[in-house]
Amino acid sequence: MAPDTIRVRTSEEIDRVNPEIHGHFAEHLGRCVYGGLWVGDDDPLPTTDGIREDTVELLSELGVHQLRWPGGCFADAYHWRDGVGPREERPTRPNDFWAQGREDAFVESNAFGTEEFLRLCELVDAEPFLAANVGSGDPQEAKEWVEYCNREDDTALARERAENGSPEPHDVTYWGVGNENWGCGGQFDPETYANEFRRFAHYMRLRGAEETIACGHVDEDWNRRFLAELTEPDLMDHLSIHRYFGRWDGDCGSATEFDEEQYYLLFAESLKVGRQIDSAAAAIDTYASTDDVGIAVDEWGAWHPEATSENGLEQENSVRDAVAAAGVLDDFNRRADLVSMANLAQTVNVLQCVVQTDEEAAWPTPTYRVLDLYSPHVGATAVRTPVETDEVETDLWEVPLVSASATVDGGDTYVTLSNRSLDGERTVRVAVGDDVGDASGEVLFADHDPADYSTRENAAAFESAELDVTTEDGDLVVDLPPNSVAGLSIATA
Protein backbone atom coordinates (compact mmCIF):
# COMPACT_ATOMS: atom_id res chain seq x y z
CA MET A 1 0.00 0.00 0.00
CA ALA A 2 1.41 3.38 -1.02
CA PRO A 3 1.72 5.89 1.82
CA ASP A 4 -0.74 8.71 2.18
CA THR A 5 0.70 12.11 1.24
CA ILE A 6 0.05 15.53 2.76
CA ARG A 7 1.46 18.44 0.76
CA VAL A 8 1.94 21.55 2.88
CA ARG A 9 2.10 24.53 0.53
CA THR A 10 3.51 27.15 2.87
CA SER A 11 3.52 29.84 0.17
CA GLU A 12 -0.23 29.45 -0.51
CA GLU A 13 -1.76 31.31 2.42
CA ILE A 14 -5.48 31.16 3.15
CA ASP A 15 -6.01 33.52 6.08
CA ARG A 16 -5.36 33.88 9.79
CA VAL A 17 -7.04 31.26 12.00
CA ASN A 18 -9.22 33.45 14.21
CA PRO A 19 -8.87 32.55 17.91
CA GLU A 20 -12.67 32.74 18.12
CA ILE A 21 -12.84 29.55 16.03
CA HIS A 22 -11.78 27.75 19.22
CA GLY A 23 -14.91 28.90 21.02
CA HIS A 24 -17.40 27.07 23.20
CA PHE A 25 -21.07 27.15 24.10
CA ALA A 26 -22.79 27.09 27.49
CA GLU A 27 -26.57 26.83 27.71
CA HIS A 28 -28.91 26.44 30.67
CA LEU A 29 -29.25 22.78 29.80
CA GLY A 30 -28.60 19.67 31.85
CA ARG A 31 -25.52 19.98 34.07
CA CYS A 32 -23.67 22.44 31.86
CA VAL A 33 -24.22 25.61 33.90
CA TYR A 34 -25.73 24.33 37.15
CA GLY A 35 -23.36 21.70 38.48
CA GLY A 36 -20.72 21.96 35.78
CA LEU A 37 -19.79 25.64 35.78
CA TRP A 38 -21.61 27.13 38.74
CA VAL A 39 -22.48 25.51 42.07
CA GLY A 40 -22.98 28.53 44.31
CA ASP A 41 -21.07 29.96 47.24
CA ASP A 42 -22.24 27.33 49.76
CA ASP A 43 -21.12 24.26 47.82
CA PRO A 44 -18.36 22.16 49.46
CA LEU A 45 -16.33 22.36 46.24
CA PRO A 46 -13.72 25.15 45.98
CA THR A 47 -15.34 28.05 44.12
CA THR A 48 -14.71 31.62 43.06
CA ASP A 49 -17.93 33.62 43.31
CA GLY A 50 -19.85 30.33 43.05
CA ILE A 51 -17.96 29.15 39.94
CA ARG A 52 -16.19 25.77 40.15
CA GLU A 53 -12.44 26.27 40.36
CA ASP A 54 -11.62 22.82 38.97
CA THR A 55 -13.64 23.52 35.83
CA VAL A 56 -12.09 26.98 35.50
CA GLU A 57 -8.59 25.53 35.77
CA LEU A 58 -9.19 23.04 32.96
CA LEU A 59 -10.83 25.61 30.69
CA SER A 60 -8.08 28.14 31.34
CA GLU A 61 -5.40 25.62 30.45
CA LEU A 62 -7.23 24.70 27.25
CA GLY A 63 -7.88 28.25 26.11
CA VAL A 64 -11.52 29.23 25.69
CA HIS A 65 -11.15 32.08 23.27
CA GLN A 66 -14.84 32.88 23.09
CA LEU A 67 -17.87 31.62 25.05
CA ARG A 68 -21.50 31.80 23.91
CA TRP A 69 -24.39 32.10 26.40
CA PRO A 70 -27.28 31.74 27.47
CA GLY A 71 -28.34 29.55 24.54
CA GLY A 72 -29.37 27.89 22.31
CA CYS A 73 -33.11 27.51 22.46
CA PHE A 74 -33.02 28.85 26.01
CA ALA A 75 -31.86 32.26 24.72
CA ASP A 76 -35.17 33.08 23.04
CA ALA A 77 -37.10 32.37 26.24
CA TYR A 78 -34.62 34.21 28.50
CA HIS A 79 -35.14 37.71 29.87
CA TRP A 80 -31.85 39.10 31.08
CA ARG A 81 -33.36 41.19 33.88
CA ASP A 82 -34.41 37.99 35.64
CA GLY A 83 -30.71 37.24 36.18
CA VAL A 84 -29.32 40.48 37.63
CA GLY A 85 -29.51 42.06 41.06
CA PRO A 86 -29.50 40.32 44.45
CA ARG A 87 -29.65 36.59 43.85
CA GLU A 88 -32.23 35.99 46.57
CA GLU A 89 -34.61 38.39 44.82
CA ARG A 90 -34.38 36.87 41.35
CA PRO A 91 -37.54 35.15 40.06
CA THR A 92 -37.80 31.43 39.41
CA ARG A 93 -39.09 30.69 35.89
CA PRO A 94 -39.99 27.60 33.86
CA ASN A 95 -37.29 26.37 31.52
CA ASP A 96 -39.36 25.83 28.38
CA PHE A 97 -36.85 23.53 26.71
CA TRP A 98 -34.45 21.70 28.99
CA ALA A 99 -34.14 19.76 32.20
CA GLN A 100 -31.11 21.12 34.01
CA GLY A 101 -29.03 21.09 37.13
CA ARG A 102 -28.28 18.35 39.58
CA GLU A 103 -32.00 17.72 40.15
CA ASP A 104 -32.86 17.60 36.43
CA ALA A 105 -35.68 20.10 36.84
CA PHE A 106 -37.36 22.05 34.02
CA VAL A 107 -37.00 25.16 36.18
CA GLU A 108 -34.66 28.15 35.94
CA SER A 109 -33.54 29.67 39.23
CA ASN A 110 -31.72 32.60 37.57
CA ALA A 111 -28.94 32.18 40.14
CA PHE A 112 -26.50 32.28 37.21
CA GLY A 113 -27.07 35.45 35.21
CA THR A 114 -25.23 38.16 33.32
CA GLU A 115 -22.74 39.12 36.03
CA GLU A 116 -21.98 35.48 36.86
CA PHE A 117 -21.41 34.65 33.20
CA LEU A 118 -19.15 37.61 32.61
CA ARG A 119 -17.22 36.74 35.76
CA LEU A 120 -16.73 33.24 34.34
CA CYS A 121 -15.43 34.74 31.09
CA GLU A 122 -12.98 36.85 33.09
CA LEU A 123 -11.75 33.81 35.01
CA VAL A 124 -11.10 31.71 31.88
CA ASP A 125 -10.00 34.69 29.73
CA ALA A 126 -12.76 34.21 27.15
CA GLU A 127 -14.43 36.78 24.95
CA PRO A 128 -18.15 36.75 25.87
CA PHE A 129 -20.76 36.14 23.17
CA LEU A 130 -24.28 37.00 24.35
CA ALA A 131 -27.37 35.77 22.49
CA ALA A 132 -30.27 38.23 22.68
CA ASN A 133 -33.90 37.14 22.90
CA VAL A 134 -35.68 37.71 19.58
CA GLY A 135 -38.32 34.98 19.85
CA SER A 136 -40.14 36.21 22.97
CA GLY A 137 -38.30 39.50 23.56
CA ASP A 138 -38.25 42.89 21.86
CA PRO A 139 -35.64 45.40 20.65
CA GLN A 140 -36.04 47.52 23.78
CA GLU A 141 -35.02 44.61 26.01
CA ALA A 142 -32.08 43.75 23.74
CA LYS A 143 -30.70 47.27 23.50
CA GLU A 144 -31.00 47.75 27.26
CA TRP A 145 -28.95 44.57 27.78
CA VAL A 146 -26.26 46.03 25.53
CA GLU A 147 -26.38 49.29 27.47
CA TYR A 148 -26.19 47.50 30.80
CA CYS A 149 -23.09 45.60 29.69
CA ASN A 150 -21.22 48.20 27.65
CA ARG A 151 -22.06 51.82 28.47
CA GLU A 152 -19.52 53.74 30.54
CA ASP A 153 -21.30 57.09 30.80
CA ASP A 154 -23.75 58.02 33.55
CA THR A 155 -26.97 56.27 32.55
CA ALA A 156 -29.46 54.47 34.72
CA LEU A 157 -28.41 51.05 33.43
CA ALA A 158 -24.71 51.80 33.84
CA ARG A 159 -25.39 52.81 37.43
CA GLU A 160 -27.40 49.62 37.95
CA ARG A 161 -24.47 47.59 36.68
CA ALA A 162 -22.19 49.37 39.15
CA GLU A 163 -24.60 48.62 41.97
CA ASN A 164 -24.42 44.96 40.94
CA GLY A 165 -20.66 44.97 41.42
CA SER A 166 -19.31 46.04 38.01
CA PRO A 167 -18.53 49.76 37.88
CA GLU A 168 -16.49 49.34 34.68
CA PRO A 169 -18.15 48.33 31.40
CA HIS A 170 -17.93 44.68 30.40
CA ASP A 171 -17.15 45.61 26.77
CA VAL A 172 -19.02 42.69 25.22
CA THR A 173 -18.15 42.62 21.52
CA TYR A 174 -20.23 39.73 20.16
CA TRP A 175 -24.03 39.84 20.18
CA GLY A 176 -26.22 37.16 18.68
CA VAL A 177 -29.56 38.39 17.37
CA GLY A 178 -31.61 35.36 18.36
CA ASN A 179 -30.95 31.65 17.95
CA GLU A 180 -32.42 29.16 15.48
CA ASN A 181 -35.25 31.59 14.83
CA TRP A 182 -36.44 29.31 12.05
CA GLY A 183 -37.28 26.76 14.78
CA CYS A 184 -37.29 26.96 18.58
CA GLY A 185 -36.48 30.69 18.43
CA GLY A 186 -39.90 31.71 17.14
CA GLN A 187 -40.69 29.64 14.02
CA PHE A 188 -39.94 32.61 11.73
CA ASP A 189 -39.82 32.35 7.99
CA PRO A 190 -36.64 33.93 6.57
CA GLU A 191 -38.31 37.13 5.42
CA THR A 192 -39.89 37.78 8.81
CA TYR A 193 -36.63 37.08 10.59
CA ALA A 194 -34.79 39.46 8.23
CA ASN A 195 -37.11 42.26 9.27
CA GLU A 196 -36.75 41.37 12.95
CA PHE A 197 -32.98 41.15 12.65
CA ARG A 198 -32.78 44.57 11.00
CA ARG A 199 -34.89 46.10 13.75
CA PHE A 200 -33.04 44.46 16.65
CA ALA A 201 -29.54 44.97 15.24
CA HIS A 202 -30.21 48.65 14.54
CA TYR A 203 -31.11 49.44 18.15
CA MET A 204 -28.50 47.13 19.63
CA ARG A 205 -25.77 48.87 17.65
CA LEU A 206 -27.00 52.27 18.87
CA ARG A 207 -26.28 51.12 22.43
CA GLY A 208 -22.84 49.69 21.74
CA ALA A 209 -23.11 46.24 20.13
CA GLU A 210 -19.89 46.18 18.12
CA GLU A 211 -20.45 42.95 16.17
CA THR A 212 -23.78 41.23 15.52
CA ILE A 213 -24.42 37.63 14.54
CA ALA A 214 -27.47 36.81 12.43
CA CYS A 215 -29.22 33.47 12.71
CA GLY A 216 -28.72 31.42 9.57
CA HIS A 217 -29.79 27.94 8.56
CA VAL A 218 -28.18 24.80 7.17
CA ASP A 219 -30.63 25.20 4.27
CA GLU A 220 -29.10 27.41 1.56
CA ASP A 221 -32.50 28.53 0.23
CA TRP A 222 -33.47 29.82 3.70
CA ASN A 223 -30.25 31.79 3.91
CA ARG A 224 -30.70 33.25 0.43
CA ARG A 225 -34.24 34.36 1.19
CA PHE A 226 -33.07 35.94 4.46
CA LEU A 227 -30.21 37.77 2.77
CA ALA A 228 -32.38 38.96 -0.10
CA GLU A 229 -34.88 40.47 2.35
CA LEU A 230 -32.30 41.93 4.73
CA THR A 231 -31.43 44.93 2.47
CA GLU A 232 -29.05 46.25 5.18
CA PRO A 233 -26.14 43.80 5.17
CA ASP A 234 -23.94 46.33 7.01
CA LEU A 235 -25.88 45.48 10.18
CA MET A 236 -24.56 41.90 10.08
CA ASP A 237 -20.96 40.90 10.87
CA HIS A 238 -21.48 37.14 11.01
CA LEU A 239 -24.04 34.63 9.73
CA SER A 240 -24.44 31.58 11.95
CA ILE A 241 -25.00 27.96 10.99
CA HIS A 242 -25.45 24.94 13.27
CA ARG A 243 -24.47 21.38 12.48
CA TYR A 244 -24.74 18.38 14.74
CA PHE A 245 -23.79 14.90 13.58
CA GLY A 246 -24.58 11.45 14.93
CA ARG A 247 -28.36 11.11 15.05
CA TRP A 248 -29.84 13.15 12.22
CA ASP A 249 -28.83 11.76 8.81
CA GLY A 250 -28.47 8.04 9.29
CA ASP A 251 -27.74 5.36 11.86
CA CYS A 252 -24.33 6.08 13.38
CA GLY A 253 -24.96 3.90 16.41
CA SER A 254 -24.44 5.32 19.87
CA ALA A 255 -21.43 7.06 21.36
CA THR A 256 -19.87 3.76 22.40
CA GLU A 257 -21.68 1.03 20.44
CA PHE A 258 -21.40 0.96 16.63
CA ASP A 259 -20.48 -1.41 13.83
CA GLU A 260 -18.07 -0.65 10.99
CA GLU A 261 -20.74 0.93 8.76
CA GLN A 262 -21.99 3.12 11.60
CA TYR A 263 -18.44 4.02 12.55
CA TYR A 264 -17.65 5.56 9.17
CA LEU A 265 -21.08 7.17 8.75
CA LEU A 266 -20.35 9.49 11.68
CA PHE A 267 -17.32 10.83 9.81
CA ALA A 268 -19.41 11.23 6.67
CA GLU A 269 -21.92 13.29 8.64
CA SER A 270 -19.15 15.41 10.15
CA LEU A 271 -18.01 16.36 6.63
CA LYS A 272 -21.31 18.22 6.26
CA VAL A 273 -19.90 21.01 8.43
CA GLY A 274 -17.44 22.06 5.74
CA ARG A 275 -19.97 21.62 2.95
CA GLN A 276 -22.47 23.85 4.73
CA ILE A 277 -19.85 26.52 5.35
CA ASP A 278 -19.30 26.57 1.58
CA SER A 279 -23.04 26.74 0.98
CA ALA A 280 -23.50 29.65 3.38
CA ALA A 281 -20.52 31.44 1.84
CA ALA A 282 -22.05 31.13 -1.63
CA ALA A 283 -25.30 32.66 -0.36
CA ILE A 284 -23.47 35.53 1.34
CA ASP A 285 -21.43 36.31 -1.77
CA THR A 286 -24.63 36.61 -3.79
CA TYR A 287 -25.99 39.44 -1.65
CA ALA A 288 -22.97 40.83 0.24
CA SER A 289 -19.38 39.62 0.58
CA THR A 290 -17.59 37.06 2.69
CA ASP A 291 -14.85 39.69 2.98
CA ASP A 292 -17.26 41.59 5.23
CA VAL A 293 -19.50 38.87 6.70
CA GLY A 294 -17.92 35.89 8.44
CA ILE A 295 -19.53 32.52 9.04
CA ALA A 296 -20.10 31.63 12.69
CA VAL A 297 -20.51 27.89 13.24
CA ASP A 298 -21.77 28.68 16.69
CA GLU A 299 -23.10 25.20 17.47
CA TRP A 300 -21.36 22.06 16.27
CA GLY A 301 -20.45 18.61 17.49
CA ALA A 302 -21.54 15.00 17.95
CA TRP A 303 -25.07 14.37 19.23
CA HIS A 304 -25.92 10.74 19.86
CA PRO A 305 -29.38 9.17 20.32
CA GLU A 306 -28.86 8.55 24.05
CA ALA A 307 -28.57 12.30 24.70
CA THR A 308 -32.15 13.42 25.33
CA SER A 309 -33.82 16.39 26.98
CA GLU A 310 -34.81 14.14 29.89
CA ASN A 311 -31.19 13.32 30.75
CA GLY A 312 -29.85 16.80 30.09
CA LEU A 313 -28.33 15.77 26.73
CA GLU A 314 -25.59 13.75 28.39
CA GLN A 315 -23.63 11.13 26.46
CA GLU A 316 -20.25 9.47 26.77
CA ASN A 317 -17.43 11.26 24.96
CA SER A 318 -15.56 8.70 22.90
CA VAL A 319 -12.37 8.59 20.87
CA ARG A 320 -14.46 8.36 17.68
CA ASP A 321 -16.13 11.68 18.55
CA ALA A 322 -12.75 13.28 19.21
CA VAL A 323 -11.27 12.09 15.89
CA ALA A 324 -14.36 13.46 14.13
CA ALA A 325 -13.81 16.80 15.87
CA ALA A 326 -10.24 16.87 14.57
CA GLY A 327 -11.54 16.62 11.02
CA VAL A 328 -13.98 19.48 11.61
CA LEU A 329 -11.18 21.65 12.99
CA ASP A 330 -9.16 20.84 9.86
CA ASP A 331 -12.14 22.00 7.79
CA PHE A 332 -12.23 25.25 9.74
CA ASN A 333 -8.51 25.81 9.12
CA ARG A 334 -8.91 25.10 5.42
CA ARG A 335 -11.67 27.72 5.36
CA ALA A 336 -9.94 30.29 7.56
CA ASP A 337 -10.95 32.95 5.03
CA LEU A 338 -14.63 32.15 5.63
CA VAL A 339 -15.05 31.00 9.24
CA SER A 340 -14.93 33.87 11.73
CA MET A 341 -15.93 31.97 14.88
CA ALA A 342 -17.18 28.58 16.04
CA ASN A 343 -18.62 27.11 19.23
CA LEU A 344 -18.33 23.46 20.17
CA ALA A 345 -21.50 22.28 21.91
CA GLN A 346 -21.37 22.23 24.85
CA THR A 347 -18.63 23.19 27.28
CA VAL A 348 -19.34 20.98 30.32
CA ASN A 349 -21.26 17.68 30.72
CA VAL A 350 -23.56 18.24 27.72
CA LEU A 351 -23.18 16.66 24.25
CA GLN A 352 -19.58 16.80 22.92
CA CYS A 353 -18.24 18.60 25.98
CA VAL A 354 -14.58 19.24 26.72
CA VAL A 355 -15.00 18.88 30.51
CA GLN A 356 -17.04 16.47 32.62
CA THR A 357 -17.77 16.79 36.32
CA ASP A 358 -19.26 14.99 39.27
CA GLU A 359 -19.87 16.15 42.82
CA GLU A 360 -16.17 16.09 43.64
CA ALA A 361 -13.99 16.57 40.56
CA ALA A 362 -13.69 17.74 36.95
CA TRP A 363 -11.77 16.01 34.16
CA PRO A 364 -11.00 16.50 30.46
CA THR A 365 -12.61 14.47 27.67
CA PRO A 366 -10.86 13.08 24.57
CA THR A 367 -12.24 16.06 22.63
CA TYR A 368 -10.50 18.36 25.13
CA ARG A 369 -7.23 16.67 24.17
CA VAL A 370 -7.88 17.35 20.47
CA LEU A 371 -8.64 21.05 21.05
CA ASP A 372 -5.46 21.28 23.10
CA LEU A 373 -3.42 19.59 20.36
CA TYR A 374 -4.83 22.06 17.81
CA SER A 375 -4.08 25.14 19.93
CA PRO A 376 -0.84 26.06 18.04
CA HIS A 377 -3.03 26.84 15.01
CA VAL A 378 -4.75 29.67 16.89
CA GLY A 379 -3.71 33.05 15.48
CA ALA A 380 -1.39 31.47 12.90
CA THR A 381 -1.89 31.59 9.12
CA ALA A 382 -3.56 28.62 7.47
CA VAL A 383 -1.99 27.34 4.24
CA ARG A 384 -3.21 25.04 1.49
CA THR A 385 -2.74 21.41 2.50
CA PRO A 386 -4.03 18.91 -0.08
CA VAL A 387 -4.23 15.29 1.07
CA GLU A 388 -3.84 12.16 -1.06
CA THR A 389 -5.40 9.20 0.75
CA ASP A 390 -7.72 6.24 0.33
CA GLU A 391 -11.44 6.64 0.88
CA VAL A 392 -14.22 4.54 2.37
CA GLU A 393 -17.67 4.50 0.81
CA THR A 394 -20.72 5.29 2.99
CA ASP A 395 -24.43 5.84 2.35
CA LEU A 396 -23.75 9.60 2.18
CA TRP A 397 -20.42 9.90 0.34
CA GLU A 398 -16.85 8.72 0.47
CA VAL A 399 -14.80 9.46 3.59
CA PRO A 400 -11.07 10.21 3.26
CA LEU A 401 -9.15 8.08 5.73
CA VAL A 402 -6.66 10.84 6.53
CA SER A 403 -7.54 14.44 7.35
CA ALA A 404 -5.02 17.25 7.77
CA SER A 405 -4.47 21.00 7.95
CA ALA A 406 -1.47 23.25 8.49
CA THR A 407 -0.53 26.74 9.61
CA VAL A 408 2.63 28.83 9.53
CA ASP A 409 3.76 31.23 12.21
CA GLY A 410 7.06 33.09 12.20
CA GLY A 411 8.47 30.72 9.62
CA ASP A 412 7.65 27.58 11.58
CA THR A 413 4.95 25.16 10.47
CA TYR A 414 2.39 23.20 12.47
CA VAL A 415 0.54 20.27 10.89
CA THR A 416 -2.37 18.35 12.38
CA LEU A 417 -3.43 15.03 10.90
CA SER A 418 -5.74 12.22 11.86
CA ASN A 419 -6.29 8.61 10.85
CA ARG A 420 -9.99 7.79 10.59
CA SER A 421 -9.37 4.13 9.78
CA LEU A 422 -11.24 1.78 12.10
CA ASP A 423 -8.46 -0.77 12.38
CA GLY A 424 -5.55 0.08 10.08
CA GLU A 425 -2.33 2.00 10.68
CA ARG A 426 -1.54 4.59 7.99
CA THR A 427 1.94 5.59 6.91
CA VAL A 428 1.79 9.27 6.03
CA ARG A 429 4.35 11.37 4.15
CA VAL A 430 4.29 15.09 4.92
CA ALA A 431 5.88 17.12 2.13
CA VAL A 432 6.76 20.59 3.39
CA GLY A 433 9.52 21.67 1.00
CA ASP A 434 13.26 22.01 0.93
CA ASP A 435 13.59 24.13 4.08
CA VAL A 436 12.47 21.51 6.59
CA GLY A 437 14.32 21.76 9.89
CA ASP A 438 13.89 19.87 13.12
CA ALA A 439 10.51 18.19 13.51
CA SER A 440 8.78 16.66 16.49
CA GLY A 441 5.42 15.01 16.90
CA GLU A 442 2.84 13.94 19.43
CA VAL A 443 -0.09 11.59 19.00
CA LEU A 444 -3.42 11.08 20.74
CA PHE A 445 -5.31 7.80 21.29
CA ALA A 446 -2.54 5.51 19.99
CA ASP A 447 -3.51 2.80 22.47
CA HIS A 448 -7.27 3.33 22.50
CA ASP A 449 -10.24 1.79 20.76
CA PRO A 450 -12.68 4.22 19.07
CA ALA A 451 -15.39 3.41 21.64
CA ASP A 452 -13.18 4.27 24.63
CA TYR A 453 -14.41 7.26 26.63
CA SER A 454 -13.19 9.33 29.54
CA THR A 455 -14.14 8.89 33.17
CA ARG A 456 -12.87 10.49 36.33
CA GLU A 457 -10.60 7.49 36.89
CA ASN A 458 -9.10 7.11 33.40
CA ALA A 459 -8.93 10.68 32.04
CA ALA A 460 -5.14 10.89 32.29
CA ALA A 461 -4.80 7.87 29.97
CA PHE A 462 -5.94 10.03 27.04
CA GLU A 463 -2.95 12.36 27.21
CA SER A 464 -0.72 12.58 24.14
CA ALA A 465 2.38 10.47 23.59
CA GLU A 466 5.52 11.19 21.58
CA LEU A 467 5.26 10.33 17.88
CA ASP A 468 8.33 9.21 15.93
CA VAL A 469 9.04 11.46 12.94
CA THR A 470 11.56 10.31 10.33
CA THR A 471 12.84 11.92 7.14
CA GLU A 472 12.81 10.23 3.74
CA ASP A 473 13.80 11.95 0.47
CA GLY A 474 13.16 15.34 2.04
CA ASP A 475 9.68 14.43 3.36
CA LEU A 476 8.63 13.74 6.92
CA VAL A 477 7.17 10.29 7.53
CA VAL A 478 4.97 9.16 10.41
CA ASP A 479 3.03 6.00 11.20
CA LEU A 480 -0.44 6.87 12.48
CA PRO A 481 -2.27 4.25 14.56
CA PRO A 482 -5.96 3.75 13.78
CA ASN A 483 -8.36 6.27 15.36
CA SER A 484 -5.55 8.68 16.20
CA VAL A 485 -4.82 12.39 15.93
CA ALA A 486 -1.33 13.85 15.67
CA GLY A 487 0.43 17.21 15.69
CA LEU A 488 3.78 17.93 14.00
CA SER A 489 5.90 20.95 14.91
CA ILE A 490 8.33 21.75 12.09
CA ALA A 491 11.06 24.35 12.39
CA THR A 492 12.51 26.25 9.43
CA ALA A 493 15.91 24.94 8.39
Side-chain angles (χ1 to χ4, degrees):
M1 181 180 67
D4 303 293
T5 301
I6 299 168
R7 304 189 187 279
V8 181
R9 296 175 176 166
T10 56
S11 63
E12 298 182 20
E13 297 183 350
I14 301 171
D15 209 331
R16 177 175 180 263
V17 176
N18 290 324
E20 289 81 3
I21 289 174
H22 284 231
H24 297 266
F25 171 37
E27 185 170 6
H28 288 232
L29 194 169
R31 295 188 304 120
C32 183
V33 172
Y34 296 110
L37 292 167
W38 193 88
V39 291
D41 298 317
D42 299 327
D43 198 272
L45 284 167
T47 63
T48 299
D49 299 327
I51 299 166
R52 289 183 67 141
E53 292 180 0
D54 52 2
T55 299
V56 165
E57 181 178 3
L58 285 169
L59 295 178
S60 298
E61 291 174 354
L62 177 63
V64 179
H65 296 276
Q66 169 257 120
L67 185 59
R68 178 173 177 250
W69 176 85
C73 291
F74 180 78
D76 281 286
Y78 179 68
H79 300 282
W80 69 270
R81 279 201 161 281
D82 288 347
V84 297
R87 199 170 291 125
E88 65 275 10
E89 297 177 10
R90 298 179 191 178
T92 299
R93 305 287 191 196
N95 186 318
D96 293 330
F97 296 99
W98 309 116
Q100 62 175 337
R102 293 173 173 177
E103 298 179 357
D104 295 332
F106 282 82
V107 173
E108 172 53 50
S109 69
N110 285 303
F112 188 91
T114 298
E115 294 294 341
E116 289 79 12
F117 171 70
L118 294 170
R119 179 64 170 136
L120 168 65
C121 289
E122 180 183 12
L123 291 172
V124 301
D125 195 24
E127 284 288 331
F129 171 0
L130 294 176
N133 180 347
V134 172
S136 64
D138 58 40
Q140 179 73 17
E141 178 182 29
K143 76 172 185 176
E144 288 183 354
W145 199 13
V146 177
E147 179 181 341
Y148 175 91
C149 291
N150 286 2
R151 289 296 283 261
E152 62 181 345
D153 46 2
D154 186 24
T155 70
L157 287 169
R159 289 195 297 272
E160 183 179 351
R161 183 190 66 234
E163 291 169 1
N164 290 334
S166 299
E168 298 300 320
H170 292 298
D171 296 326
V172 177
T173 298
Y174 302 114
W175 292 87
V177 184
N179 167 81
E180 293 187 5
N181 298 100
W182 37 264
C184 63
Q187 300 288 333
F188 293 125
D189 60 54
E191 291 79 13
T192 303
Y193 175 67
N195 291 321
E196 289 297 299
F197 173 84
R198 187 167 55 244
R199 195 163 66 110
F200 273 73
H202 169 69
Y203 286 104
M204 292 169 71
R205 283 179 177 270
L206 288 177
R207 294 295 171 91
E210 186 175 338
E211 297 191 26
T212 52
I213 298 91
C215 168
H217 202 294
V218 294
D219 178 69
E220 184 174 346
D221 179 66
W222 199 98
N223 290 336
R224 288 181 177 273
R225 288 169 58 191
F226 162 72
L227 291 163
E229 184 71 19
L230 182 58
T231 69
E232 296 288 343
D234 290 348
L235 289 173
M236 174 179 59
D237 299 286
H238 314 264
L239 180 69
S240 79
I241 59 173
H242 295 172
R243 167 50 60 184
Y244 292 99
F245 41 89
R247 64 175 296 182
W248 307 109
D249 299 307
D251 180 10
C252 300
S254 73
T256 59
E257 295 183 5
F258 42 83
D259 60 24
E260 182 174 355
E261 181 179 356
Q262 293 168 327
Y263 169 85
Y264 284 112
L265 188 59
L266 182 79
F267 292 104
E269 284 195 27
S270 72
L271 294 176
K272 283 192 171 183
V273 179
R275 290 168 181 249
Q276 287 166 347
I277 292 168
D278 295 338
S279 172
I284 291 169
D285 278 329
T286 300
Y287 298 96
S289 171
T290 48
D291 292 336
D292 302 318
V293 179
I295 295 171
V297 190
D298 55 12
E299 291 185 31
W300 71 273
W303 185 336
H304 294 292
E306 60 267 34
T308 66
S309 59
E310 289 74 22
N311 74 352
L313 297 192
E314 292 202 34
Q315 60 192 29
E316 303 298 354
N317 278 258
S318 71
V319 166
R320 180 179 64 151
D321 296 334
V323 178
V328 173
L329 292 171
D330 287 333
D331 281 343
F332 291 161
N333 290 344
R334 288 193 289 264
R335 295 168 174 81
D337 55 335
L338 301 176
V339 182
S340 51
M341 63 173 64
N343 301 77
L344 181 64
Q346 293 190 9
T347 314
V348 184
N349 291 327
V350 173
L351 296 176
Q352 193 168 359
C353 56
V354 291
V355 172
Q356 290 175 302
T357 70
D358 60 17
E359 302 290 315
E360 299 177 354
W363 60 91
T365 67
T367 299
Y368 179 105
R369 306 295 185 184
V370 167
L371 267 291
D372 188 42
L373 188 77
Y374 274 65
S375 61
H377 288 310
V378 170
T381 300
V383 296
R384 303 289 176 193
T385 312
V387 178
E388 300 167 15
T389 185
D390 295 329
E391 297 181 329
V392 172
E393 186 175 347
T394 73
D395 288 342
L396 284 177
W397 39 64
E398 293 182 332
V399 173
L401 287 178
V402 171
S403 176
S405 63
T407 54
V408 295
D409 187 11
D412 295 336
T413 303
Y414 190 69
V415 182
T416 45
L417 55 162
S418 53
N419 178 6
R420 294 166 169 151
S421 174
L422 175 61
D423 51 17
E425 181 181 86
R426 309 292 296 185
T427 297
V428 183
R429 299 181 71 99
V430 182
V432 181
D434 297 332
D435 57 349
V436 176
D438 293 336
S440 61
E442 56 182 318
V443 63
L444 293 169
F445 320 133
D447 299 319
H448 286 281
D449 292 328
D452 288 350
Y453 59 91
S454 57
T455 66
R456 177 179 172 183
E457 291 74 25
N458 73 4
F462 293 89
E463 293 179 357
S464 66
E466 184 178 352
L467 177 67
D468 289 335
V469 183
T470 60
T471 303
E472 184 178 314
D473 298 330
D475 295 340
L476 303 175
V477 180
V478 296
D479 292 325
L480 287 185
N483 321 296
S484 67
V485 184
L488 305 182
S489 299
I490 308 165
T492 302

